[in-house]
Amino acid sequence: GLLKNCSILHQIAIQLNNPKSTLAYVRECLSLCFIAISVGNGQYWYLNLADQLSLLSNVVAIVHKFAENSNESKEMIARVLACLTYERWRLERISLPYSLTHSFPDGNDTNPEFSQFYQRVKGIIIQFCSASTSNLSLNIITVLPIPDYFNQSGEGKITPKLWIEIVEGTLRSFFTNTELQNPME
C-alpha cells in the first residue's frame, strides 16, 4: 500500500511537472526510509531495505529533473543529502500489533546487511552528485552542510571525508557540464 501511494505521487509529480508537487513526492518517499517503528516484544516494522533503495533511486532520478534555483529544489537536494546521516535510524514507538516485523536494524557496525545497505545508499547519492548538471551542482554545493570536525561521534553529520568526496564529485560534474566560458569568474 505505501509503495503504491508513492508510485501514484510519482505519477502526479511527473504529470504536473512542477517543483511543489515533486517536493511532496520526495518528502513522502523519504519519510518511509530510515525509520523503524517499535511494535513491542523486541520487534520492529520498517520498509524492507530493497524497497528503501528503490524509493531513494526514484527520488534521485526525479530531483535531477528540477535543477532550477528554487527553494523547493534546494529542499529536495537537502533531503537527498540528509540520507547520508542516517547510519542510526529514527525510532518511533506505537502499541499496535503488526505481523510483518523484524529485529531492529542495529546500525552499520554490527549488522552486515545494514552496512551493505548504507554503502548502497552512499553510492546512490555520490552518483547523484557526480552526475549532476551544472545548475544542480551549484545547488548541491549550496545546501551541502559543512562537516563538524569536532564532533567525534559523527552521528547525524556528514563526515569530513564523505564531504570531500561529495564536493569533489559535484565540482567535477559542474566543470564538465558547464557552458560558461570561464566558470571560475
Side-chain angles (χ1 to χ4, degrees):
L2 293 172
L3 293 177
K4 186 173 182 176
N5 289 344
C6 286
S7 178
I8 291 168
L9 284 174
H10 185 259
Q11 293 304 314
I12 291 169
I14 289 172
Q15 291 295 318
L16 292 178
N17 195 32
N18 73 51
K20 289 184 188 226
S21 61
T22 305
L23 177 57
Y25 166 72
V26 168
R27 286 176 177 164
E28 186 64 26
C29 287
L30 295 181
S31 75
L32 297 173
C33 298
F34 314 106
I35 185 169
I37 299 173
S38 173
V39 294
N41 296 326
Q43 292 294 299
Y44 299 83
W45 175 90
Y46 56 87
L47 195 60
N48 76 51
L49 303 180
D51 289 338
Q52 289 189 48
L53 289 171
S54 178
L55 283 176
L56 181 58
S57 294
N58 290 339
V59 163
V60 162
I62 203 165
V63 170
H64 265 278
K65 247 185 110 167
F66 291 98
E68 60 192 45
N69 196 16
S70 69
N71 290 336
E72 292 84 7
S73 294
K74 288 177 183 172
E75 183 180 337
M76 287 185 264
I77 294 165
R79 286 179 179 271
V80 168
L81 294 173
C83 294
L84 293 169
T85 66
Y86 292 136
E87 288 185 62
R88 302 279 186 253
W89 289 16
R90 297 183 321 260
L91 178 61
E92 302 290 335
R93 298 185 194 288
I94 61 172
S95 61
L96 298 174
Y98 193 74
S99 60
L100 299 173
T101 59
H102 312 277
S103 59
F104 186 66
D106 55 359
N108 63 359
D109 52 347
T110 60
N111 185 334
E113 181 183 17
F114 187 74
S115 176
Q116 292 167 358
F117 167 74
Y118 184 73
Q119 289 304 313
R120 291 185 67 195
V121 167
K122 179 182 165 188
I124 289 169
I125 295 172
I126 295 293
Q127 185 178 9
F128 163 73
C129 295
S130 298
S132 57
T133 63
S134 58
N135 198 19
L136 182 57
S137 296
L138 292 175
N139 283 334
I140 290 170
I141 295 296
T142 301
V143 301
L144 181 64
I146 295 175
D148 182 357
Y149 291 95
F150 302 106
N151 182 358
Q152 298 301 323
S153 73
E155 215 166 292
K157 303 283 183 184
I158 293 177
T159 65
K161 181 180 176 186
L162 181 55
W163 185 84
I164 290 169
E165 194 174 347
I166 292 168
V167 169
E168 180 182 13
T170 304
L171 288 176
R172 184 176 293 120
S173 183
F174 171 77
F175 286 113
T176 301
N177 294 315
T178 189
E179 295 177 7
L180 298 172
Q181 293 296 327
N182 191 354
M184 296 299 286
E185 290 183 348

